Structure formats: C-alpha cells, structure tokens
Amino acid sequence: MKDHTQFADSLALYALSAEALDNAQERAELEAHLRECSECRSELESLRGDAALLGLSAVGPAPPRRARQRLMAAIEQEPRFVPAPPRRMGVLRSRWFALAPIAATLVLAIFSLMMWKQTSTLRSRLDSARAALAEQQVQLQDARAVLDLIHSPDAMHKTLVSLNTKPLPEIKTIYSPEKQRLLLVASSMEALPAGKVYELWLLPANGGAPVPAGTFRPDARGNAIMDMPLAGRLVAKEFAITIEDAAGSQTPTMPIRMMSAG
Ligand SMILES: [Zn+2]
C-alpha cells in the first residue's frame, strides 16, 4: 500500500480529469486509495475547485499538454504535502488567491458606484422636497400676514375713487297721468351746441308713437328742472331723451341720448 504522499502528482492530474492520468495502473491505485483516504478525497475536491476556477476542469476541452506539464512542474517545486495544513493551499489555490484582491476591488468599486448613485438620487429628492417645503412656508406666512392685517383692530378700510371721472348725466322724472303733470330734474347734463335743446319723449304703454313731453336746456353746471302739464292721461311705459332743434320736434331725431331703465 502506497502512502498518500506518493499520490500527490497523480492526484493533481486526476483533478484535471480522470483521463489526464493515462497510466491505468496508477489511476487504479489512486482510485483505490481515494476510496479509503478522506484526506486525499478532500484534497482532490480542493484541486478540482482550483482547476475549475482556472478553466482547466474536465468539463470542456482537455487541458493542453504544456499546461499539464507546467502544473506538474509547479507541484514538483512545492514542498510535499503531508499533513501540514498550508499544503492545502496548493499552487492553483495560490494563483487564484493572487486574483482575489483584483476581484475584491472590482466588487467594491461596483458596490461603491451603486451606493453613490443611490445616495445622489436620495440627496436630489431630499433637496427638492426641502425646496417645496420652504416655498409652502413662505406662502403660508404671506397668507397669515394678509389675514392679520385684515383682522387688525386698527386697520383703516378706505375705498378710493378716480378724481378725474366726470359725474354721469342723470334725469329723474315724476309723472302722474291722472294729475296730467310731469316733473323732470336733470343733473350733470352735457352742454348743448347753440340752437339745440334736449327733448323728453313719453313712450306710451299701448305701444303708440312717442309723444313729445317738453324741451329744456341745462344751465352752466348741467342742471335743469322742467315742470309741465301733460294732457291726455296717457299711461307711460318709458321716457327717452333726444337732442332737437331749439323749437322742438314732433318726432324724435335719432339717436336716443338717454332712456329710462325699467
Ligand atoms: Zn491519502
């Protein structure tokens, strides 16, 4: 029975693929030993893992002869693996570990990038939320200030009007068909051209033609009073004003200048 230290070379080849160990007797001995030796079995698993990581595993194309020789040469240079635990870190394992810092750096870089993206997204959301809140606070303060002003006990409420607008012309008529009398009071009337008068028309409720109801000229301040008898007991619907020649007219000359409103 061979000691398992003697299987080191065979084990490394066997780990690459069973066929790589082309000496049938050697392979049979190794397989017999593996059935009995758990230490070699776990070393085989470990070597298979290394081989797989380096793309030399039995799956896929067989490892090229040179790679196998290099592997064998490397194993030759290693101290014999007997029980010492550091031997379990075989040469393949050390090569893999040489790559580990690069892989770790890559993982760390990707992770850092993800964290940075997430952080900057969160930060910009927080910034816009803060801006919206600040804006709302300003609006709220404005609204509160306006309410305070309105409800302030010493607040003076005044309404201002234009000082330039001329007062609108206005005429009041009081008419009684039964008394057959009409009173007109005019104010703020526009001045008339020479030879013209304002003429009042009674628009009958029966829909008949407008009836002349007197003429007048306002004074310098635009005021006028007309008090006149109006025969016929006509029921009036509305009154209207036109501008006519000084003698007055029997039919209104358009346009109508003023009209009673209901
Ligand atoms: Zn063994």
Side-chain angles (χ1 to χ4, degrees):
M1 201 71 195
K2 280 181 171 180
D3 178 67
H4 62 200
T5 56
Q6 293 172 274
F7 289 107
D9 297 351
S10 319
L11 199 59
L13 274 180
Y14 194 77
L16 290 174
S17 85
E19 289 74 27
L21 189 58
D22 40 18
N23 184 320
Q25 193 196 334
E26 213 179 325
R27 191 159 84 189
E29 282 178 1
L30 176 63
E31 283 171 345
H33 178 73
L34 281 171
R35 279 194 288 276
E36 295 164 3
C37 176
S38 64
E39 197 174 344
C40 281
R41 276 201 302 274
S42 71
E43 177 67 13
L44 175 65
E45 288 311 305
S46 168
L47 286 169
R48 272 179 177 158
D50 292 338
L53 282 170
L54 289 178
L56 296 174
S57 76
V59 185
R65 192 89 195 157
R66 270 187 64 213
R68 195 185 302 169
Q69 284 165 350
R70 285 219 315 264
L71 178 65
M72 293 306 297
I75 291 168
E76 286 299 323
Q77 287 167 13
E78 286 285 306
R80 278 297 169 229
F81 82 106
V82 230
R87 178 60 188 86
R88 305 199 69 80
M89 299 296 204
V91 59
L92 292 169
R93 174 76 34 115
S94 352
R95 282 189 202 156
W96 154 241
F97 275 112
L99 296 177
I102 300 171
T105 306
L106 269 176
V107 168
L108 191 63
I110 292 168
F111 181 71
S112 302
L113 190 65
M114 285 165 64
M115 287 303 286
W116 175 79
K117 273 187 157 180
Q118 206 168 20
T119 303
S120 64
T121 304
L122 285 175
R123 183 169 298 145
S124 81
R125 279 192 202 155
L126 186 61
D127 284 349
S128 55
R130 275 191 190 134
L133 186 61
E135 194 180 337
Q136 281 180 350
Q137 279 173 341
V138 167
Q139 287 174 351
L140 190 62
Q141 279 173 1
D142 286 352
R144 192 171 291 146
V146 169
L147 279 179
D148 283 351
L149 174 64
I150 291 172
H151 291 132
S152 176
D154 69 334
M156 292 175 65
H157 294 240
K158 294 278 190 185
T159 303
L160 278 65
V161 297
S162 170
L163 297 179
N164 295 327
T165 307
K166 280 190 271 183
L168 289 172
E170 189 178 80
I171 294 176
K172 284 184 164 68
T173 56
I174 303 168
Y175 167 62
S176 165
E178 190 191 322
K179 295 209 161 37
Q180 302 187 69
R181 194 168 192 93
L182 181 142
L183 179 69
L184 172 148
V185 178
S187 60
S188 305
M189 299 298 290
E190 284 179 38
L192 287 169
K196 296 288 184 180
V197 292
Y198 286 115
E199 182 154 6
L200 177 70
W201 302 92
L202 181 155
L203 310 183
N206 62 15
V211 175
T215 63
F216 64 95
R217 272 185 75 88
D219 63 17
R221 288 176 298 171
N223 298 330
I225 292 177
M226 185 172 70
D227 175 22
M228 63 177 296
L230 200 63
R233 300 182 191 274
L234 284 165
V235 177
K237 188 183 176 209
E238 300 294 348
F239 289 91
I241 292 285
T242 60
I243 294 176
E244 307 289 348
D245 289 336
S249 174
Q250 290 306 303
T251 55
T253 304
M254 292 299 116
I256 290 175
R257 305 294 172 144
M258 295 173 73
M259 180 92 188
S260 60

